[in-house]
Amino acid sequence: MIINTKEYFFDNRFGLPLEGNYREIFDSEVLENSGSYLISNTQDVKSILYAPEVNFYLTYSQDDTKTKLETLNLLYEIRALKYDLGRDKSYSKEVDNSLIIISEQETFNNIAPYFEDDFEVIFCDVKNARDLEGELGSFTLNSSNRFIQKEEIKASQIVITQDDPQKEQFIGVEKYSGEETIGNILELLKSRLGHYEYKKIISYNETICQYHHRRQTQSGPCTICSQLCPTLGVKHDNSKMELTFSDIDCHGCGGCVSGCPSGALDFTQFTLEALYGVARLLEGKKIFITTQSLIPNLDISLPKNVIPLVIEGAKFLSELHFL
């Protein structure tokens, strides 16, 4: 396993009496920025995984010291197991400084100067803007008017000045809502320039999908996942009866996973295989489920024998997971 080639790091500010095997697993020395660890309970060292649930548990749990020592080891094992059995892959996309602003001419004249120092700005009149295709880094906007039947405008990112729910679903399309929003928009657009890093968060098994190449039923085909997706992470194509996925547009909320009736979708950062392993580790334990993003704001008392279990996507747990 990978954990045999990496060390766990434990910043023992809690003064726990680490003895015997714990000395081999946890490093309680002074924090060092050098060195590479698999898991750490602090962001002050270089590690592959950050486990904030460790300090959360030690701070708020009512367990005695002996139980905390046992649970401490368990929390690190859970993190390592999820990592070993994870299937998330990292990708990058080249994003240049081309930018389309879809607006009326007057609005464009007012806001374009804010972007021209950092971007190659292209104007498209809102009256002529049609369908938008592609993704961050490679958008194609169809434009047409009475003089030009159809024109394709290409750019890496887009700013719109009027409500357009369809276009706003794309990562890389930002809505201008007044001069007070320009600073935030500009910062966000610039942060994506160069190599934009993203991950594959959802895995898909078409062989058990209740939509893929299935015949129409009386109630219609199963499109639960695409209906639940708040972005363009997953879409359905009734002409082919196939699902299409955009990893770059996926927010990782997990809604599609929780809604899938057949288990065809899985969360790559916490796979079903990893969940089975975690369930075995936690057999007989009481579990408090939370997301990693919520932990910094939690201020609650954990009763005795309750262990926090961190999930990455707030919506991804399905009936299958709970079973």
Side-chain angles (χ1 to χ4, degrees), residues 99 136-137 139 156-159 170-174 189 192 249:
L99 175 69
L136 171 67
F139 285 118
S156 284
Q157 299 188 79
I158 295 174
V159 171
F170 286 94
I171 299 295
V173 176
E174 303 302 328
L189 296 176
R192 300 185 183 123
D249 288 305

Side-chain angles (χ1 to χ4, degrees), residues 96-112:
D96 65 26
N97 69 339
S98 56
L99 175 69
I100 300 173
I101 298 180
I102 304 175
S103 68
E104 296 177 339
Q105 184 69 60
E106 183 178 354
T107 304
F108 174 81
N109 293 338
N110 290 333
I111 67 175

Side-chain angles (χ1 to χ4, degrees), residues 28 37 54 84 94 104 171 178 201 204 229 272 282 300 314 317:
S28 59
Y37 301 91
V54 172
D84 283 349
E94 183 66 29
E104 296 177 339
I171 299 295
I201 298 175
Y204 172 53
C229 182
L272 276 173
L282 295 177
I300 60 175
L317 292 178

Side-chain angles (χ1 to χ4, degrees), residues 9-279:
F9 186 96
F10 177 61
D11 169 22
N12 194 10
R13 296 176 183 177
F14 296 90
L16 294 177
L18 303 180
E19 301 292 345
N21 291 335
Y22 287 103
R23 287 293 184 184
E24 298 176 9
I25 298 175
F26 302 116
D27 182 357
S28 59
E29 300 298 325
V30 177
L31 294 179
E32 298 177 358
N33 287 316
S34 60
S36 179
Y37 301 91
L38 175 65
I39 309 167
S40 172
N41 66 322
T42 175
Q43 292 181 302
D44 294 331
V45 299
K46 182 181 178 181
S47 64
I48 296 174
L49 303 174
Y50 169 51
E53 66 271 21
V54 172
N55 286 3
F56 168 72
Y57 166 75
L58 294 175
T59 301
Y60 295 105
S61 175
Q62 303 304 305
D63 286 338
D64 56 37
T65 301
K66 180 177 181 297
T67 304
K68 284 186 176 180
L69 288 170
E70 295 172 351
T71 304
L72 195 60
N73 189 25
L74 194 57
L75 291 174
Y76 276 84
E77 284 188 49
I78 291 171
R79 275 283 179 174
L81 182 63
K82 290 168 60 178
Y83 177 76
D84 283 349
L85 299 179
R87 295 200 299 271
D88 52 323
K89 296 181 180 179
S90 296
Y91 299 91
S92 67
K93 183 74 176 286
E94 183 66 29
V95 179
D96 65 26
N97 69 339
S98 56
L99 175 69
I100 300 173
I101 298 180
I102 304 175
S103 68
E104 296 177 339
Q105 184 69 60
E106 183 178 354
T107 304
F108 174 81
N109 293 338
N110 290 333
I111 67 175
Y114 290 100
F115 299 96
E116 288 174 344
D117 287 342
D118 301 289
F119 294 92
E120 180 183 333
V121 181
I122 306 166
F123 170 66
C124 179
D125 195 304
V126 67
K127 296 191 299 294
N128 301 329
R130 299 293 182 260
D131 296 333
L132 179 64
E133 301 172 349
E135 61 185 18
L136 171 67
S138 55
F139 285 118
T140 298
L141 176 67
N142 293 318
S143 174
S144 62
N145 56 42
R146 62 178 180 173
F147 302 108
I148 303 175
Q149 283 297 319
K150 184 178 180 181
E151 180 184 15
E152 290 187 345
I153 308 174
K154 298 182 181 296
S156 284
Q157 299 188 79
I158 295 174
V159 171
I160 60 177
T161 61
Q162 295 185 9
D163 292 334
D164 192 328
Q166 189 273 334
K167 293 183 178 63
E168 290 177 54
Q169 293 182 84
F170 286 94
I171 299 295
V173 176
E174 303 302 328
K175 169 72 185 305
Y176 165 80
S177 303
E179 288 194 9
E180 67 279 1
T181 65
I182 286 181
N184 291 335
I185 293 174
L186 186 58
E187 182 178 352
L188 192 54
L189 296 176
K190 289 168 63 176
S191 71
R192 300 185 183 123
L193 293 176
H195 293 286
Y196 180 78
E197 304 289 336
Y198 64 98
K199 286 191 173 185
K200 181 178 182 62
I201 298 175
I202 303 298
S203 64
Y204 172 53
N205 182 356
E206 64 183 33
T207 62
I208 58 174
C209 174
Q210 296 303 302
Y211 177 79
H212 184 78
H213 295 174
R214 302 275 176 159
R215 291 184 298 175
Q216 293 275 356
T217 63
Q218 187 173 1
S219 59
C222 175
T223 57
I224 294 175
C225 56
S226 60
Q227 293 179 49
L228 291 175
C229 182
T231 64
L232 297 172
V234 54
K235 297 183 291 184
H236 64 273
D237 183 349
N238 284 338
S239 65
K240 298 180 180 179
M241 296 301 289
E242 293 179 356
L243 298 177
T244 58
F245 296 85
S246 174
D247 297 319
I248 205 168
D249 288 305
C250 177
H251 283 183
C253 70
C256 59
V257 177
S258 65
C260 180
S262 66
L265 300 178
D266 198 5
F267 208 67
T268 60
Q269 295 174 312
F270 195 174
T271 62
L272 276 173
E273 185 182 5
L275 181 67
Y276 295 147
V278 170

